[in-house]
Amino acid sequence: MAALAYNLGKREINHYFSVRSAKVLALVAVLLLAACHLASRRYRGNDSCEYLLSSGRFLGDKVWQPHSCMMHKYKISEAKNCLIDKHIAFIGDSRIRQLFYSFVKIINPQFKEEGNKHGNIPFEDKIASVKVDFLWHPEVNGSMKQCIKVWTEDSVAKPHVIVAGAATWSIKIHNGSNEALSQYKMNITSIAPLLEKLAKTSDVYWVLQDPVYEDLLSENRKMITNEKIDAYNEAAVSILNSSTRNSKSSVKMFSVSKLIAQETIMESLDGLHLPESSRETSAMILMNVYCNKILKPVDGSCCQPRPPLTLIQKLAACFFTLSIIGYLIFYIIHRNAHRKNKPCTDLESGEEKKNIINTPVSPLEILLQSFCKLGLIMAYFYMCDRANLFMKENKFYTHSTFFIPIIYILVLGVFYNENTKETKVLNREQTDEWKGWMQLVILIYHISGASTFLPVYMHIRVLVAAYLFQTGYGHFSYFWIKGDFGIHRVCQVLFRLNFLVVVLCIVMDRPYQFYYFVPLVTVWFMVIYVTLALWPQIIQKKANGNCFWHFGLLLKLAFLLLCICFLAYSQGAFEKIFSLWPLSKCFELKGNVYEWWFRWRLDRYVVFHGMLFAFIYLALQKRQVLSEGKGEPLFSNKISNFLLFISVVSFLTYSIWASSCKNKAECNELHPSVSVVQILAFILIRNIPGYARSVYSSFFAWFGKISLELFICQYHIWLAADTRGILVLIPGNPMLNIIVSTFIFVCVAHEISQITNDLAQIIIPKDNSSLLKRLACIAAFFCGLLILSSIQDKSRH
């Protein structure tokens, strides 16, 4: 009964919720969300700087998340580079002095909080030519006005950034009287025009007063209440914001520090001054406001304008627009023709006059339809990660954000289980399942920011290695068994691997190496192909006739291992090879190929291990050493139990070692040699018991079939800012946002997989003469792309 209910449940779900209906729902969701975000931008404004200065929340201890955008954590070198030849002035009381110290410590962490507390404090970095001054003016009065007035004179050098604010001294000295508040309003009214004048040439920020923790205030500060502070803040906002809002020449209100203080003022030592972590956050916000538009950090989306369209992006937009128009014209013509040929019924006899003719879909229609769909999908990609329409947020890792989703997908994977069609080791359904659950774990790893937790990072490194292991195993097995070294097979694989990435490189203006995994599997596929295709070509059929050929293949593999070792330990030789034009255009990142060398070296042996495993397994299978029948253990009971025990111990030993690593550099050095231990252990555990080999998870296998698209698409439509952040479609509700964005993301990945398969059938024909013509066109396309890319690079420089 339980099994029957289980099958009926799955059947009901599949009946009412198909992939097609899911995609329609995803399209509707995208259109609605885009409309809502567009309306919100029109209503609330499109200035992310305003959000950064006025709103946000704490994700965790010391981690501040601005509303709708990402904040970059500036390093010393970045801060100095941004502030070269700049002068920053802080004017105000002791709280502004705190902010001054925290700001200076971003530039020079060794700077000590010394000097006259009630006097001016200078700072200068002569190497970077950065000057930061604190000017002691604890009250908004004539003294502060005179200081500001001097800067408005044309003959005086003005600071590039001015940060001002004061009020608590006025409350304290005048015992919180209403007369003092009235005087404050008069004084700030007289200063406001001067600040507005300065704001035309400098960045001027007025810092609103932070709340106090009244219980901790000393007796001589008891009159400084939060009620009084709110009154002074309201006066400052109403007077300074009397000019046109959002104007570039207006004074910017730095009100976000109030929100930060509300969460952290309880940690204050005296109830008035903020703890160090809070003022560091405020200083980093100031740095982001000023420097993001200058340095344009990838993970600092606040205050950054939308990047301008490149020539290649404009041409791509024209191509997809023409494809959409072409398909619509084709569809209208086809529909009208269909209506004319539609059978009509003879009224007297009740019979149809014409027979229904099912015309086959032409390749042109498939081509136009595929590019039409792809154009709409690429528009969504661009909106998510380039157009600043949707919001972005920083990642924040906690154990629960990683491990709880892992438990969820494990339960779903177990729920959707089926019997396999075949029970061989690493059969197609099992490898799809393996790819699927690994990809889901990697996605959770990326969105949760779990790379900061070393044990999780090391296990994810094994999953990436396992993908490459499957590359070695799968392609070796195909060439060894089939002996098909034709150009059609090579082109099919290369097209399947690279089509989406090439399109994204064009549309998203990113280098090929940015999507590092695709170059990795592409190069390794070519290595496998060349190794086996070069003379003498040794395949299973030939080797069965003479065992000498097995020795020849092992010599080939040994030579491959020797080449891998040489390139791994000779960085210079490796970089010389991949720095040659046009290879450099594919493998350079930030002007060099070091990143490519690092990625390749990190899993340098695992593809070879996959090939060797395939060779041994197929040799054992040919000699009927293995028992691969349904329900049968792979070996005899004693050997199976022994191997299972060794596998479990090896699996756990690796996990313990990975969890005890001290740093990434040490772990990464050993990873290439030891990752195969856990991979082989998993394969044996999964395949030795007959019952384990006889079932698979159709849930995981479904995701496994689109694992490549999932891995690539996550960069722009699930994550954000080139994987540094998280895409926010529904602000204010993280759980609902993840559910909706994940649903759309999976639907898009599945559709792209189908588009790729459809285009592969047309662009890569089986006829060699037609294929060679297509290859010539593709070569011409890439030559044109290289020329345009070179023109773009020159114009940028």
Side-chain angles (χ1 to χ4, degrees), residues 16 21 32 94 219 255 300 306 309 330 375 386 401 404 415 422-423 428 446 532 566 588 654 685 746 780 789:
Y16 289 106
S21 60
L32 287 174
S94 57
E219 286 301 319
S255 59
R306 188 185 69 183
L309 287 170
F330 191 95
R386 290 293 177 273
T401 57
I404 290 176
F415 178 75
E422 56 178 342
T423 54
R428 182 59 182 268
H446 281 153
L532 298 178
F566 171 73
E588 277 186 358
Y654 180 89
I685 293 168
V746 172
S789 178

Side-chain angles (χ1 to χ4, degrees), residues 114-366:
E114 296 176 344
N116 183 6
K117 288 187 176 181
H118 294 172
N120 299 340
I121 305 170
F123 168 81
E124 187 173 3
D125 188 313
K126 292 183 179 179
I127 297 172
S129 189
V130 180
K131 187 180 178 184
V132 187
D133 289 325
F134 168 70
L135 306 175
W136 173 253
H137 291 281
E139 288 189 88
V140 180
N141 54 19
S143 175
M144 181 184 280
K145 180 180 178 180
Q146 185 58 36
C147 175
I148 294 170
K149 189 176 181 180
V150 170
W151 288 330
T152 60
E153 297 172 4
D154 294 335
S155 59
V156 178
K158 303 170 182 63
H160 298 88
V161 181
I162 299 166
V163 182
T168 55
W169 269 68
S170 297
I171 299 170
K172 177 185 173 182
I173 292 171
H174 301 285
N175 201 27
S177 66
N178 290 329
E179 290 79 7
L181 177 60
S182 298
Q183 186 63 43
Y184 178 84
K185 289 179 181 178
M186 290 173 61
N187 291 339
I188 205 167
T189 301
S190 66
I191 288 175
L194 301 176
L195 293 174
E196 291 290 344
K197 188 175 180 180
L198 280 173
K200 292 178 181 179
T201 55
S202 305
D203 285 358
V204 181
Y205 304 96
W206 186 266
V207 181
L208 296 184
Q209 293 300 298
D210 303 326
V212 295
Y213 191 47
E214 296 179 16
D215 295 344
L216 282 179
L217 290 174
S218 59
E219 286 301 319
N220 63 340
R221 290 174 175 167
K222 286 292 184 182
M223 70 291 295
I224 307 173
T225 64
N226 287 321
E227 184 181 352
K228 291 291 181 185
I229 285 173
D230 289 341
Y232 275 72
N233 282 338
E234 285 174 15
V237 170
S238 62
I239 294 166
L240 293 173
N241 270 354
S242 60
S243 60
T244 306
R245 196 176 180 184
N246 294 329
S247 171
K248 290 182 179 178
S249 63
S250 66
V251 178
K252 300 178 179 72
M253 305 303 297
F254 193 81
S255 59
V256 70
S257 59
K258 287 198 312 174
L259 299 178
I260 296 168
Q262 284 170 7
E263 300 291 331
T264 60
I265 193 64
M266 288 79 73
E267 301 169 22
S268 171
L269 297 176
D270 59 6
L272 178 68
H273 298 99
L274 295 178
E276 192 172 357
S277 61
S278 302
R279 67 191 204 185
E280 284 174 355
T281 303
S282 294
M284 194 59 73
I285 289 170
L286 276 175
M287 191 69 75
N288 273 258
V289 170
Y290 187 75
C291 291
N292 281 5
K293 57 183 175 287
I294 298 171
L295 297 186
K296 295 181 174 62
V298 175
D299 61 341
S301 64
C302 300
C303 300
Q304 275 204 52
R306 188 185 69 183
L309 287 170
T310 65
L311 175 61
I312 293 175
Q313 285 177 308
K314 289 175 182 176
L315 291 172
C318 291
F319 171 78
F320 284 122
T321 303
L322 290 173
S323 297
I324 293 168
I325 294 169
Y327 177 69
L328 290 175
I329 293 169
F330 191 95
Y331 177 76
I332 292 166
I333 293 170
H334 181 77
R335 190 175 180 183
N336 289 336
H338 180 72
R339 279 180 179 176
K340 288 178 182 179
N341 294 326
K342 188 176 180 181
C344 56
T345 307
D346 190 318
L347 294 175
E348 293 182 3
S349 63
E351 294 179 355
E352 293 181 347
K353 292 183 178 180
K354 293 182 180 179
N355 294 322
I356 298 173
I357 302 170
N358 292 322
T359 55
V361 181
S362 68
L364 178 61
E365 184 179 357
I366 295 172

Side-chain angles (χ1 to χ4, degrees), residues 19 28 57 90 131 152 216 227 333 392 428 552 729 747:
V19 173
V28 172
R57 70 186 191 279
F90 288 79
K131 187 180 178 184
T152 60
L216 282 179
E227 184 181 352
I333 293 170
K392 303 174 179 68
R428 182 59 182 268
L729 299 177
C747 289

Side-chain angles (χ1 to χ4, degrees), residues 721-790:
D722 295 340
T723 75
R724 266 74 165 193
I726 299 169
L727 180 68
V728 179
L729 299 177
I730 302 176
N733 195 327
M735 183 61 70
L736 183 60
N737 176 67
I738 289 294
I739 292 170
V740 173
S741 64
T742 303
F743 174 69
I744 296 170
F745 158 59
V746 172
C747 289
V748 168
H750 189 273
E751 184 62 33
I752 289 175
S753 177
Q754 289 188 334
I755 290 169
T756 306
N757 290 332
D758 289 342
L759 289 175
Q761 301 300 320
I762 298 169
I763 296 174
I764 313 295
K766 291 183 179 179
D767 179 56
N768 281 340
S769 61
S770 301
L771 179 57
L772 289 173
K773 291 176 185 176
R774 303 280 168 84
L775 290 178
C777 293
I778 292 169
F781 167 77
F782 279 109
C783 285
L785 200 60
L786 285 170
I787 293 167
L788 289 173
S789 178
S790 299

